[in-house]
Each structure stands twice: as C-alpha cells, then as structure tokens.
Amino acid sequence: MQPPADYRRPELVDASGLMVRAVGQDGRELGTYDFSECPGPEQLRKALVAAFARCTRVRWTSARSCKTYANDLKLFLKEIAARKRPVRTIAQLTPRVWEDWLAPSMGRRRLSSVLLEVDGLPSDTRYALTMRRLGSGHKPLRKQGYTKSEIRHVRDAASRTVRAARLRIEGNARILEQWQSGDLDAENPDGHWGEVLDYVIRHGDLPRQPCGHVRAWAKRELRTRFGEGHLPQALGALFPSPAEIGAAAVLLICHEAWNLSVLQEMTVPRQWPNADQESPAPAIHRVDTDKPRRGARRRHNSHNLVDAGEHTAGWAMQQVLAMTDPARKCAAHLGHPSDALLVTRRQKTGSEQSRIGDETVYLGDQIASWVAREQAAGAGLPLDLTAARLRHSVQVFLGPRNNTQRVHEDFYLRRDETVAEEAKDVVEAGLTKAVSAAYDEVRMRFIASVDGEPEAGHLATAAGVSTETAEQVLAGELDTTVGACEDFEHSPMTPDGPCAVSFLMCFACPNAIATARHLPRIVYLFQALEQLRAAVDAAVWRADWAGHHARVGDLVGRHTDPTRWPGLLATLGERERDLVDRMLARRLDS
C-alpha cells in the first residue's frame, strides 16, 4: 500500500536539535536518544547531534549500535567541556583535542565515524580522523586463531547443545499438538502437561493468580515433572534458553563465519530453491544476510545452505529453525510477531516473568553464557573462546565468507599468526621454485665486458660463437628489439623457416645474446611490463604476460643494479623506446 500523497518522512531530530528518534531502513524504531543534559554550548551540541542523526539513518541498523554510539558521543561531549580550555565551536575541534581524548581505542574508532559527518569540521582534523581509521603508519594487529581440531571440537559441542534443545522442544511440541487437537484428556499422563504447554505457547508464561503466583493445578504438574525451581524448565519445554541460542549462534559461525551483527538481524529463510518448503527437512535453505558495513549496493546478500547430513550448514540451519519455531509462534500470539531466526525468551531478574522475542538481548552475552556453562560441565572448550576469534579462525580455514578475496587476504590471512608462521616455508619453497624455473626458462645469454681482453674475442669465447658473429653482434648488425640473434633463419621456436614468434620470446631462446649495450632497452622493457601488470586483469596477466615478466625480471635482477637504472635509461633514445612500446603492443609480431 502506498503512503498518502502528503506523507513526509518524520524528522530524526526534534525542534530542540538535541533529541534524536532513530528509525531503521525497515521502519523499525531504534530508540530515542536525548543529549539535552550533556554539557557544552548549544550550537556545538546541535552540530554533533545532527551528525549522529545522519549516521543513524545510513550506518546503523540496530538499537544496540545506536545506543553504543550515543554513549560514546555523550562521553566525548563531557570530556571536551571539562578541558582546561573548553571546546565551544566546531572550529575548535582540532587534532590535538581528538588526540587528548582518553577513551578506549574502539570508542575512539566508533566516534571518529560520527565526527567525520560533522559539517564544518576543520580539514586537518578530518585528515587526522581519516588516517587513523585507515590505520596509516600502524602495523596490522596479528590474531591467534583456533586450530582446525579446536574448531571441530567447538562445533561438535554446539551441535550437541542445539540437538538436545531441538529434541526436547519438538517432543513437547508434539504433546501440545495432541492437546490442541483433542487427542489428550485428563486421564492421559500427558493431559495436564499439554494444558500447561497450551497456556505457555499463548501467553509466554505460566498460568498465574492475580498476585503473581503460579496456579495450583499447574504447580502440581510442574513439581511432578521438574521438582522445585520449575520456571526455567517449564518455559524451556517450548523455548530455547539464552545459552542454547548462544550455542546456535556458535554452530552457525562454525559453518558460515557470520559475525554477530549479521546473526542478530538474521530472519528465517523465505526461499527454498528445491521447492521443498513443506518438507520437514528442505534440502536447501536460502538465507538473506544484511551487512551494512559493505555499503548500500553490496550490503544485502543471500546464501544457499545445503543439508547433506550432519555437520553441514543446511543441517545446522534446520536444527535451529526447529528449535526456535515455537518461540516465534508464541510471539505471534502475544501480538508482536517476529521472523527473527535466533529468538528466545528473556527471563527478567527478580521476577517470574519473561519476554519472548526480545531483540534487545545481546547475542554475545548469550554465547558467553553457553561457553561458561560448557566449561563448568568440563566440555574442554578453549578458555578464551569468543565469537570474534572463532569467526576469524573459520574464515581463515574455509576461505572468503561474506567478504571479497582482497579483504579475506588482507584482514584474515595476513593477520593470522598461524598462517604467517606456516607461510614462511611455503613462500621459501615457492621462491626457490620460481628462481629455479626462471633460470631454466631464461636462455638468452648475457655477455658482460671484461677488461684486458679483446671484446670480440671475449664475446666469441663466452657465447660459443664465431669471431665473425661476435663482431656482428657488437656492431648491432644482428639486433632484435631487445638483444641480438645469432641465427634468425633457424629458430628453435619456429621449426620451418625464419623465426616468427614475438620478440619477447628472445629471453627464452638459446639463439639470443645480450650485451651491456642492450641493457637500457631491457630495463625499459621491464619497467613497461611492471606498469602493464597494474593495468590488466589478473587472469589476462597470468595467461599472456607473467612468463615474459619473470624472464625479463630474472635477467635484470642478475645483471643490473637498480640504482643504475636511471643512468641506463638516460642513454636510451626515443626510437628505441618506441620500438619496445610497439613490441608490447604486438605491432612487431609476424
């Protein structure tokens, strides 16, 4: 349905300029944030609050993020107002003010994104904030990930927790269905239990008297089944506990390396590519993800999770869906339907009431709750198990997940301590192999001048050619584009007749000879190939140019000093440069 013709998007900031009502892209309320009690001049506060409001519209998608950034801004306003020389205008927000702010590094990084949205921010301050966010001049922090065996151990522990919760909830859901269909009566051992479950699924709580105590008939049934302390067990009959939701999140991280913000916002699958939606166990679940940090065009994505049995991503998703299905049904009965995947109850401290589908619960706390429970039970999980480190480790082993190849290499592989250590041997072996291959492939002979010997005689002896051929080489009579050829008419590259391959292949030909006179052209060719490397697609480079670049690079590496290249290039004429350029453009090929 279209909005009315006179509809106007509600303002984020109220008339005072100090109250922000944040609304997500999907129209969901993200909270109201009041900065009126913060110290400092009104115009300064309004400018900073306006920047905060813009960020709520384009950057953040959860109430938790908005609250975190709002707290950072309030701390910053308090700090700059308490300075010996308080900041009174935006122009006074200098780099020194920013550097003097004593706050944790994550708080500084978060607030820098807000300050970059401030109108009129001094250019040197903007530059300082930008450089800090880019990490200019700072060595990337290394991370110590978990081993494959540790990841498997964590995955198996989470899988056991989720499976147990799913079996418990499905068993009670079947009793509930039998009660609702009239198949259970008071004489059946499960009859009274079905009545309790029916109340719980409709109200999200146990049957209670006006004073708040559980009704006697329900209490008798709960004591029969669970003994004392029956509330958690009773609600857990249909709803997963926060710790079990934490286990579900860990299980999905182990399979797909999703971060907490993605999991927190994840909804139940809406598409089934195999058209088996009605099946109790669809073969493929298509899951939508939203990652705002990737930008407006690339933030939304979809993932096909295939159920090929236990320890596959589709199987894990099916377990989580079955475990959380009654909680979503309860939320619908209570009047606030939710399609969130990781939905559970939240038991309030000091009362016997709970909420179903409370989205303010932080997933990281639920994971910590599960980890603590497993460690207390002696499950042998890593003592420092965190979602961030687990996700990093899974990404390293599984390859790019929700990231580009470049991000995967720069922020995961290169920052991982284990990968860096193991890469040393791999790099050394690769370089050794590359050097050996280059020596095998570079067959052009380079003959350097030797003082005290006749030049032609030395060249003839060193190259194994006649004195007449040596004299022709020195005179330039046998020159190609980049060297000289002792026998152009009989080339090993062309079986019949004169040589017909590209002059770039001279570096791989045993007929080719280079002297000091040819070095300026070869150095110019190498630099031209370096520039070409940055301009062509990686696949094209590997297929068409990488071999030539390796051979030329090996020759200049062995026979020239890079500090002397400017002097060599200074002797190169325009005609010779043009000749090399035409060769690279393949205008000299036969």
Side-chain angles (χ1 to χ4, degrees):
M1 183 176 66
Q2 296 293 326
D6 59 349
Y7 173 80
R8 294 294 180 270
R9 190 173 187 175
E11 293 293 334
L12 294 177
V13 185
D14 72 351
S16 71
L18 297 174
M19 183 87 71
V20 178
R21 173 178 168 268
V23 180
Q25 291 186 348
D26 55 0
R28 185 176 51 183
E29 293 281 348
L30 300 182
T32 300
Y33 305 94
D34 186 1
F35 297 89
S36 60
E37 299 298 323
C38 294
E42 184 175 314
Q43 291 306 314
L44 174 66
R45 287 184 290 155
K46 284 183 176 181
L48 292 173
V49 170
F52 171 83
R54 284 193 288 271
C55 289
T56 65
R57 175 164 287 172
V58 300
R59 290 182 182 273
W60 312 319
T61 59
S62 70
R64 182 178 180 83
S65 293
C66 292
K67 183 178 180 180
T68 300
Y69 281 83
N71 290 338
D72 290 334
L73 181 55
K74 289 177 181 180
L75 286 174
F76 183 67
L77 285 167
K78 183 179 179 180
E79 170 71 19
I80 61 178
R83 287 172 60 87
K84 187 175 181 180
R85 294 184 177 179
V87 176
R88 298 190 176 281
T89 65
I90 294 298
Q92 293 177 350
L93 282 177
T94 63
R96 178 62 182 271
V97 171
W98 173 250
E99 293 300 330
D100 286 347
W101 184 37
L102 300 177
S105 57
M106 282 305 298
R108 294 176 62 85
R109 184 172 179 83
R110 286 193 299 263
L111 189 62
S112 66
S113 64
V114 177
L115 295 183
L116 286 170
E117 294 290 333
V118 175
D119 293 333
L121 188 70
S123 58
D124 53 347
T125 306
R126 188 176 299 278
Y127 177 80
L129 292 171
T130 303
M131 289 300 99
R132 177 172 288 277
R133 289 186 64 79
L134 293 176
S136 177
H138 295 279
K139 185 177 180 180
L141 296 177
R142 286 287 178 84
K143 297 182 179 180
Q144 181 64 55
Y146 303 116
T147 64
K148 285 185 178 179
S149 61
E150 287 177 321
I151 294 174
R152 282 195 295 268
H153 186 67
V154 172
R155 181 200 65 190
D156 292 345
S159 180
R160 287 193 297 271
T161 299
V162 171
R163 184 193 293 109
R166 190 264 300 171
L167 291 173
R168 179 190 75 239
I169 291 170
E170 282 189 340
N172 286 294
R174 283 193 293 270
I175 294 176
L176 173 62
E177 290 176 3
Q178 290 175 323
W179 166 262
Q180 291 176 336
S181 63
D183 294 337
L184 296 179
D185 53 33
E187 302 300 324
N188 192 294
D190 289 329
H192 289 302
W193 182 229
E195 186 177 2
V196 173
L197 293 176
D198 180 65
Y199 189 93
V200 169
I201 196 72
R202 289 184 291 106
H203 298 86
D205 196 9
L206 295 169
R208 296 182 183 277
Q209 298 173 1
C211 64
H213 295 151
V214 177
R215 292 189 178 277
W217 65 270
K219 188 178 294 186
R220 285 194 298 271
E221 180 65 20
L222 296 174
R223 283 177 176 167
T224 300
R225 289 184 173 266
F226 306 115
E228 296 298 329
H230 44 69
L231 178 62
Q233 295 94 326
L235 296 177
L238 290 175
F239 313 132
S241 68
E244 288 167 341
I245 287 296
V250 168
L251 182 60
L252 293 175
I253 292 172
C254 287
H255 282 288
E256 291 296 314
W258 284 317
N259 60 30
L260 292 188
S261 64
V262 170
L263 287 169
Q264 190 97 33
E265 299 295 325
M266 187 171 288
T267 59
V268 297
R270 295 185 177 89
Q271 299 181 53
W272 290 264
N274 279 30
D276 51 2
Q277 175 181 356
E278 303 304 325
S279 169
I284 301 175
H285 297 281
R286 179 166 292 169
V287 181
D288 296 328
T289 59
D290 181 10
K291 194 172 183 181
R293 287 177 58 186
R294 300 190 70 187
R297 292 187 177 182
R298 299 169 55 235
R299 62 181 292 179
H300 297 286
N301 208 339
S302 62
H303 307 256
N304 289 333
L305 307 189
V306 180
D307 185 352
E310 191 169 358
H311 301 322
T312 62
W315 177 88
M317 176 58 69
Q318 183 61 35
Q319 300 291 302
V320 175
L321 285 169
M323 179 181 77
T324 55
D325 183 60
R328 282 185 290 274
K329 291 179 179 177
C330 179
H333 283 304
L334 294 175
H336 49 89
S338 172
D339 61 353
L341 176 66
L342 300 179
V343 60
T344 183
R345 72 181 188 277
R346 182 191 185 192
Q347 186 171 343
K348 295 184 178 180
T349 304
S351 73
E352 290 190 311
Q353 296 183 357
S354 65
R355 288 186 61 188
I356 304 298
D358 191 334
E359 297 177 356
T360 65
V361 180
Y362 179 45
L363 196 54
D365 294 338
Q366 295 171 326
I367 292 175
S369 175
W370 175 74
V371 171
R373 192 185 76 175
E374 291 295 299
Q375 289 174 339
L381 298 181
L383 295 177
D384 55 349
L385 180 60
T386 63
R389 187 173 169 189
L390 179 63
R391 177 177 178 270
H392 168 86
S393 306
V394 174
Q395 174 104 345
V396 166
F397 288 118
L398 294 186
R401 288 293 190 274
N402 314 298
N403 297 113
T404 63
Q405 183 66 33
R406 181 174 179 178
V407 169
H408 174 64
E409 293 174 357
D410 290 347
F411 290 89
Y412 291 90
L413 296 184
R414 292 181 182 176
R415 296 187 180 185
D416 187 82
E417 291 282 3
T418 304
V419 171
E421 191 63 31
E422 294 177 350
K424 292 179 180 178
D425 295 337
V426 176
V427 171
E428 182 179 353
L431 290 175
T432 301
K433 183 178 180 181
V435 170
S436 300
Y439 274 97
D440 291 339
E441 292 182 3
V442 180
R443 305 184 69 185
M444 173 185 276
R445 291 159 290 172
F446 178 79
I447 312 300
S449 301
V450 177
D451 295 337
E453 291 188 28
E455 197 169 12
H458 166 67
L459 178 60
T461 302
V465 298
S466 66
T467 303
E468 180 182 0
T469 300
E471 290 174 345
Q472 289 179 296
V473 170
L474 294 173
E477 296 174 4
L478 301 181
D479 272 8
T480 64
T481 303
V482 290
C485 182
E486 67 168 287
D487 193 354
F488 181 77
E489 297 295 331
H490 302 89
S491 169
M493 305 285 183
T494 307
D496 300 319
C499 183
V501 299
S502 167
F503 288 116
L504 285 169
M505 293 303 297
C506 290
F507 293 92
C509 180
N511 286 354
I513 300 172
T515 68
R517 185 171 57 82
H518 299 108
L519 284 180
R521 275 182 278 173
I522 296 174
V523 170
Y524 179 74
L525 170 62
F526 181 71
Q527 291 188 334
L529 287 171
E530 287 279 282
Q531 295 175 359
L532 183 64
R533 183 178 191 174
V536 301
D537 181 77
V540 174
W541 172 260
R542 288 193 298 269
D544 296 345
W545 302 101
H548 302 308
H549 176 268
R551 285 186 286 270
V552 179
D554 177 70
L555 190 144
V556 299
R558 282 190 288 149
H559 300 294
T560 67
D561 179 357
T563 61
R564 295 184 57 226
W565 287 3
L568 291 173
L569 294 173
T571 67
L572 199 61
E574 192 62 36
R575 179 179 177 279
E576 292 172 301
R577 293 173 184 264
D578 180 65
L579 197 62
V580 173
D581 292 339
R582 290 168 61 198
M583 177 185 68
L584 287 177
R586 300 295 172 90
R587 286 183 288 176
L588 300 182
D589 293 357
S590 299

